Amino acid sequence: MTDDAVPELRASDADRERVAEVLRDAVAEGRLDMEEFEERLEATYKARTYGELTPITADLPAAGVVPPPVNMVKEPVESGSWAGRIVGGEGSSTAAVAIMSGFQRKGRWTVPKRFTAVAFWGGGEIDLREANFADREVEINCIAIMGGAQIIVPPGVEVVVRGIGIMGGFDHSQEGVPGDPGAPRVIVTGFAFWGGVGVERKLPRAERQRLKEEQRRQKLEGGSPTKELYGSHHDALSGLHDAHREAMEEHREAMRRRHEERRERHEERRERHRERRERRHRDWD
C-alpha cells in the first residue's frame, strides 16, 4: 500500500479518542479556547478516515513530547538526592482533563508549581514516584465531579490535603507523615462533588525490584534482614490501602443512604398524590 493511500484508511473509535485526548490536553494548557476545542472535537467525532483526523491536531504538540526545561544555573548535587529532583522550570505538563474518559501522568515527568486535574464522569492517575519537581512545594488542584483522581507519592514526600468534598471526599490518610530532609512538599487542593480524590504512598518500581532481588539473594544465602525490611514496607502500605478502602466504603454507604432517602420521599409523594386522586374521584361520585 502506498503512503498516498494511508489517509483513505478508515479511522477507528480508538483513533478518534486519541485525537480527542490531545485536544483536551491542549484546552487545559491554554493552547485552544473553548470555541476552538468544541469545533475540533466535533470534527474529530465526525471524521471517518485518517486523512480527516490528521489536520485536527497538526498544530498541536503530541502528548509527552515536550522535554522538561533545564535550569542552566542549577548547582551540581549528589546523585540520587532529593535536591537532584527539584529542577526548576515550568514543568512538562500543567494540566490533565478526563471527560467521560481517563488520563495518566507517570514516569519521568516534571511536576509544575501548580498542576490542575479535572475529572468529569472519568478518572485519572497522577504518579509522582519517578517525577522531578519544578519547586520544593507543588500544588495539585483536583476537580472531581462524578469522577475521581488517584495521586501516588513515593516515601519521603510530605503530603498536605486541603480539598473540599460535597457528597464526595479527599483522602487524608497520608497527612502527618514526616518528609525526608530536602524532599518536596505536595499540597492537594480542589473540590469533589459525588467523586473522590485518593492519595497513596508506594515505593518506586526500581526500589521494589531491588528489594525483591535482595530478598531472593538473602533467601538463597539463608538470611532474612531484607525480607523483614520488605515485609515492613508491605505491611505499612497494606495499612494505607485499607484506610483508603474504608474511606471509600463510607462514602459509598453515605451515597446509598442518600439514594434510599430520596426514593422513600418519592414514594411518599406518589402515595399522597394517589390519595388525593382517590378523594377527588369519591367527591365526583
Side-chain angles (χ1 to χ4, degrees):
M1 179 181 296
T2 65
D3 291 341
D4 293 340
V6 172
E8 301 306 319
L9 289 177
R10 303 286 288 186
S12 67
D13 289 340
D15 296 324
R16 284 183 282 271
E17 188 56 39
R18 279 192 290 270
V19 172
E21 182 64 22
V22 173
L23 296 177
R24 295 184 189 108
D25 287 345
V27 73
E29 294 169 359
R31 301 180 191 276
L32 296 176
D33 59 31
M34 286 305 299
E35 183 177 354
E36 290 174 311
F37 170 70
E38 291 172 358
E39 290 176 356
R40 296 195 190 198
L41 191 64
E42 182 179 1
T44 297
Y45 289 121
K46 287 182 177 179
R48 293 291 176 263
T49 66
Y50 286 126
E52 294 172 338
L53 282 176
T54 300
I56 296 174
T57 57
D59 59 345
L60 298 175
V65 302
V66 180
V70 178
N71 185 352
M72 301 304 294
V73 299
K74 184 177 57 179
E75 295 296 328
V77 294
E78 181 184 351
S79 177
S81 70
W82 278 112
R85 293 176 61 178
I86 300 175
V87 299
E90 298 297 326
S92 55
S93 178
T94 60
V97 179
I99 301 176
M100 293 183 287
S101 61
F103 68 80
Q104 272 192 331
R105 293 294 183 272
K106 61 191 299 185
R108 186 65 68 178
W109 65 296
T110 300
V111 185
K113 293 182 180 180
R114 179 180 171 89
F115 181 86
T116 300
V118 178
F120 177 72
W121 278 25
E125 179 183 81
I126 305 168
D127 191 338
L128 308 182
R129 288 176 293 174
E130 309 293 337
N132 292 324
F133 297 82
D135 199 359
R136 193 172 300 280
E137 181 173 284
V138 298
E139 178 183 345
I140 298 179
N141 182 44
C142 295
I143 309 298
I145 301 175
M146 292 180 286
Q150 191 71 7
I151 302 170
I152 304 173
V153 300
V157 171
E158 182 186 0
V159 177
V160 177
V161 180
R162 298 175 180 166
I164 299 172
I166 298 178
M167 293 183 290
F170 281 73
D171 184 0
H172 291 259
S173 65
Q174 297 307 311
E175 282 195 299
V177 179
D180 290 344
R185 184 180 192 224
V186 176
I187 301 176
V188 181
T189 62
F191 174 72
F193 177 72
W194 278 30
V197 177
V199 183
E200 59 181 326
R201 199 177 296 271
K202 289 183 178 181
L203 288 171
R205 294 176 180 84
E207 180 67 12
R208 290 208 313 269
Q209 183 63 31
R210 187 189 68 79
L211 288 173
K212 288 180 181 178
E213 292 174 357
E214 184 67 16
Q215 180 184 14
R216 188 180 303 113
R217 185 182 65 80
Q218 292 287 344
K219 184 181 294 185
L220 292 174
E221 296 176 356
S224 61
T226 305
K227 180 177 180 181
E228 294 174 358
L229 175 62
Y230 184 78
S232 66
H233 279 298
H234 178 74
D235 293 342
L237 291 174
S238 295
L240 296 175
H241 286 313
D242 291 342
H244 177 60
R245 188 162 49 248
E246 290 175 5
M248 292 298 101
E249 288 293 338
E250 291 176 1
H251 169 63
R252 283 193 288 269
E253 178 62 21
M255 295 297 297
R256 187 195 63 78
R257 288 196 301 268
R258 180 177 176 83
H259 176 73
E260 185 65 23
E261 291 171 359
R262 293 179 62 184
R263 188 187 63 80
E264 291 176 357
R265 289 196 298 269
H266 180 65
E267 290 294 334
E268 290 175 359
R269 287 195 296 269
R270 289 183 58 186
E271 182 63 23
R272 289 195 298 268
H273 180 70
R274 186 184 62 81
E275 290 175 356
R276 287 196 297 269
R277 188 171 62 247
E278 290 179 352
R279 283 198 299 268
R280 285 197 299 270
H281 287 168
R282 286 196 299 268
D283 293 341
W284 291 342
D285 293 340

